[in-house]
Amino acid sequence: MAAPRQGIRIVLADRLEPLRVATTPTNANRPNEPTTIFAATPVDNITNVALAQDYASLTHSPDELIIRQRGRRKPLLKWTPEKAAAAAANNVRSPFQRTPTKMPMSTSMIMRSSPRKRLAMGTLPPEPKAYDGTSPIKPDATQELWPSSRNLKKPKLQELERPIAQTSDEIPLHTLLQGLTQQQLIELIINELVAGDTKVEKDLRAQLPMPDIQYMEQELLRAKRMIFKSLPTSRLCKKTDSTAFTRASLHLNEFKRLLSQHIKQLQDSSHWDALIDYTCMAWPCVRATPNWDSFTHNAVRKQCFRTLTCSCIAAIKYGGSRLGVNRLHRLERSLNSWLNDSEDIQSCMNVLKRMLGKGRYSF
């Protein structure tokens, strides 16, 4: 039994030998003090070695190193309520304290010639002399009333540029008149040519032509072509159904707008004979527009017929005998052919027959 125990002790001694640490303080700086040797137990040595390894393995993060290098922080705010109250108490102005002036009285700065500043600068106008009974002497033109002021001349106004139509003789007159609006032409004739002269007005009235409705007819025909151009071209699609109406509705509204605009222009100018001719021209154009399958889709067509009928009645009433017998008979024949298109045309026929039956041409 003695031999195995001896072997175990030798093995333990070899393993615990590195852990035995003898603590022997140095006496280099303290030679007079006695040397004390402390023997550490194996358990204490193991604990000290573990703590030393943990402390050596501890590494700080980069943020922690930066924070440690900053040092002690300074306060950011310099303003405090206590400091503000103390400053306000020190800055209280006494009621007898004089307000500081903006500019000292003795200065070399040039001031504007206002009364108050002239008083400050000491530049006053000459005092008026007492009246001695003699006539006053006219002051010299070169003498200045205010020494600091200068006589500034007002710039002359530049001559307004005249339009090219008045200065150029190379451009024909009819070309220049085409650029003017209708209102400009009216003002030019009334204010410049006629100018209240009854004789000139009578001569000009005798030369006035009948309004030309050819350009109005061209606009209506162009709008009608756009209506048919918008319809579907396929043989499998119907051209009077709801789909076709949706595609042509925009052009139908444009056609109605042009018709109303032309009639209003002729009515406002009181050209009743031209209005009768326009009605006879525009009725076939409205009749040629598509007749849709749905009753509601034909509302634009009916409104155009009603507008032409009302304009025809107004022309007969206000035109009267000035329309001419031949024009009225042509209108009567046209009304008979329009009965199938609109029911409102019957009222226009009654007005025309009543006037022709009584043997007079005006109401």
Side-chain angles (χ1 to χ4, degrees), residues 59-85:
T59 57
H60 300 287
S61 62
D63 297 338
E64 183 66 22
L65 294 176
I66 293 174
I67 292 173
R68 290 189 177 186
Q69 290 176 2
R70 287 179 180 175
R72 185 177 181 181
R73 293 187 179 182
K74 297 180 179 180
L76 298 179
L77 297 178
K78 296 182 179 180
W79 179 89
T80 56
E82 293 79 5
K83 292 182 179 181

Side-chain angles (χ1 to χ4, degrees), residues 101-213:
T101 58
K102 296 182 179 179
M103 185 186 302
M105 299 298 295
S106 59
T107 179
S108 60
M109 184 179 296
I110 300 176
M111 304 176 67
R112 296 182 180 179
S113 58
S114 62
R116 181 176 297 178
K117 292 185 178 181
R118 285 196 299 271
L119 290 173
M121 293 294 294
T123 58
L124 297 176
E127 297 181 358
K129 297 181 180 180
Y131 179 70
D132 54 358
T134 61
S135 60
I137 301 174
K138 185 177 181 180
D140 188 5
T142 59
Q143 184 181 1
E144 295 183 358
L145 183 62
W146 306 104
S148 61
S149 62
R150 296 181 181 180
N151 295 327
L152 300 178
K153 295 182 180 180
K154 296 182 179 180
K156 296 182 180 180
L157 296 177
Q158 297 181 356
E159 185 179 0
L160 297 178
E161 297 181 357
R162 299 175 61 186
I164 297 179
Q166 299 179 7
T167 58
S168 177
D169 298 335
E170 300 177 356
I171 305 176
L173 182 60
H174 66 86
T175 304
L176 297 173
L177 294 178
Q178 290 178 2
L180 302 180
T181 60
Q182 185 177 4
Q183 186 64 27
Q184 286 179 325
L185 292 175
I186 293 173
E187 293 178 356
L188 178 63
I189 295 173
I190 299 300
N191 299 333
E192 301 297 335
L193 299 181
V194 178
D197 193 350
T198 57
K199 183 178 179 180
V200 177
E201 182 179 356
K202 185 177 180 180
D203 296 340
L204 184 61
R205 188 185 296 271
Q207 298 179 7
L208 288 177
M210 184 176 176
D212 188 10
I213 62 174

